[in-house]
Amino acid sequence: MKSVISYILPSLSRLNRTKEPFEKYLIWFFAITFVVNSALQIFLFQKIYSTGLWVALCKTVAIYFSYLIMIELSPDSKTLHPIALIITTVITVSLPDNVVMSGTLFFLMNIRILTKSSGYLTTRPELLGMSIFTGIEFVFSPFIYPLLFGVVLLMDYKFKHKDNRNIPFALLSLALSLLWVKNAFGIVERELDLISVITIFVVTVAYALRLSILKTILSFNDTKTNIISPKRIKSSGVILLVSLIVMAVGHAMFYEFVHLWVTLICISFPYLKDIVK
């Protein structure tokens, strides 16, 4: 079964990724996270039982997705990942707000397509599946997911220069994004609180500085054929950061993606000392 999934969905699944030793304990870590989060939602934040369990599940899964995004955007910082995961988990769980699990998965899938850390070209079943997923997200969300997916496919095509299978799916996704106009661009009138504004500013500056010094990456892709491309990592990081800013400023969705904001903080701050060098 694993070989079949790896053959059909090599980029999205990344089942051949080399696991770190501590990852064998992740199932217990997330099980404890779910239990603690459920207790907080039900007893501290006063949510009804079913709602509390659902919010806890969404948060736990979204934190796991954010961890996988962290691996994609900072592949050569393996010693940083456990600490960053703990920080992201603590902050996300301590807030009463729900998070967008499906949107986090959407970002992860797009980042994996662009980083090509699997070492394989994106297959047609992956492109078809992502196109369907994009359409579903577009129907149930104010964010312009088709535009993001279309841009990712065009950038992926630009970087590899040898596979045109992306083009039809990119054009279809970009055409679907034009329907966003009927929603008045999905923008809502809502002021961000001071914590949100400060976080957006600090993360934007810190991550921009992080990308500015990201010249080389020491990690190989899953096939051990090439060093992972800094251009692809940078592009993925920029797309995620811009998307989060649009979600926060244009759609009043900051706390729904707070786990990703914290993830960017965790993979940016340790490198600020290198700016001096």
Side-chain angles (χ1 to χ4, degrees):
M1 184 63 180
K2 179 180 178 180
S3 59
V4 173
I5 295 176
S6 297
Y7 178 76
I8 299 176
L9 308 171
S11 295
L12 299 182
S13 66
R14 281 204 67 188
L15 294 182
N16 296 320
R17 178 177 67 86
T18 302
K19 307 294 193 301
E20 294 303 309
F22 75 90
E23 290 193 52
K24 63 184 178 181
Y25 303 109
L26 283 184
I27 186 172
W28 297 108
F29 176 84
F30 286 111
I32 294 173
T33 298
F34 173 72
V35 172
V36 172
N37 201 354
S38 299
L40 289 175
Q41 292 295 327
I42 295 172
F43 298 110
L44 182 61
F45 302 136
Q46 300 297 311
K47 288 185 171 65
I48 62 175
Y49 188 78
S50 58
T51 302
L53 291 179
W54 173 249
V55 172
L57 177 62
C58 288
K59 282 193 174 185
T60 303
V61 175
I63 292 170
Y64 175 63
F65 290 155
S66 67
Y67 167 72
L68 297 179
I69 289 176
M70 183 193 311
I71 293 174
E72 298 294 329
L73 298 183
S74 186
D76 55 346
S77 307
K78 295 180 174 60
T79 57
L80 179 66
H81 295 160
I83 299 175
L85 173 60
I86 293 174
I87 294 174
T88 302
T89 301
V90 170
I91 294 178
T92 305
V93 169
S94 63
L95 298 174
D97 306 85
N98 196 2
V99 299
V100 183
M101 178 176 59
S102 61
T104 307
L105 176 61
F106 183 81
F107 286 133
L108 171 62
M109 297 294 98
N110 277 274
I111 288 173
R112 282 186 169 179
I113 289 175
L114 188 53
T115 59
K116 282 292 180 291
S117 47
S118 65
Y120 295 99
L121 293 177
T122 309
T123 63
R124 286 188 176 85
E126 288 180 316
L127 292 171
L128 177 60
M130 277 301 298
S131 297
I132 296 173
F133 186 24
T134 301
I136 295 174
E137 285 293 288
F138 177 68
V139 171
F140 294 101
S141 170
F143 186 55
I144 190 163
Y145 285 102
L147 178 60
L148 174 61
F149 182 51
V151 170
V152 165
L153 292 183
L154 292 180
M155 294 185 70
D156 182 38
Y157 173 78
K158 176 181 180 297
F159 285 137
K160 64 192 177 191
H161 295 293
K162 58 181 179 181
D163 185 16
N164 60 4
R165 72 183 74 184
N166 283 9
I167 300 302
F169 294 96
L171 295 178
L172 176 63
S173 188
L174 293 175
L176 179 61
S177 69
L178 296 177
L179 297 177
W180 194 39
V181 177
K182 73 178 179 61
N183 296 328
F185 302 103
I187 303 300
V188 297
E189 294 183 3
R190 176 178 168 184
E191 294 183 359
L192 296 174
D193 57 41
L194 183 60
I195 295 178
S196 302
V197 173
I198 293 176
T199 302
I200 293 172
F201 175 77
V202 171
V203 173
T204 300
V205 173
Y207 196 62
L209 292 174
R210 161 63 175 150
L211 293 180
S212 69
I213 61 175
L214 186 61
K215 305 298 182 183
T216 58
I217 296 177
L218 303 179
S219 298
F220 279 88
N221 57 34
D222 294 346
T223 59
K224 308 301 180 184
T225 52
N226 288 297
I227 295 287
I228 296 176
S229 169
K231 289 183 178 180
R232 287 182 173 274
I233 299 296
K234 287 183 177 182
S235 300
S236 300
V238 170
I239 285 177
L240 177 60
L241 179 60
V242 172
S243 297
L244 291 178
I245 293 174
V246 171
M247 295 292 254
V249 178
H251 301 283
M253 298 176 68
F254 172 80
Y255 290 102
E256 290 84 348
F257 289 96
V258 69
H259 52 291
L260 294 180
W261 285 106
V262 178
T263 296
L264 292 182
I265 289 176
C266 291
I267 62 177
S268 301
F269 273 37
Y271 294 95
L272 295 184
K273 64 180 184 300
D274 296 331
I275 298 295
V276 178
K277 301 178 183 180

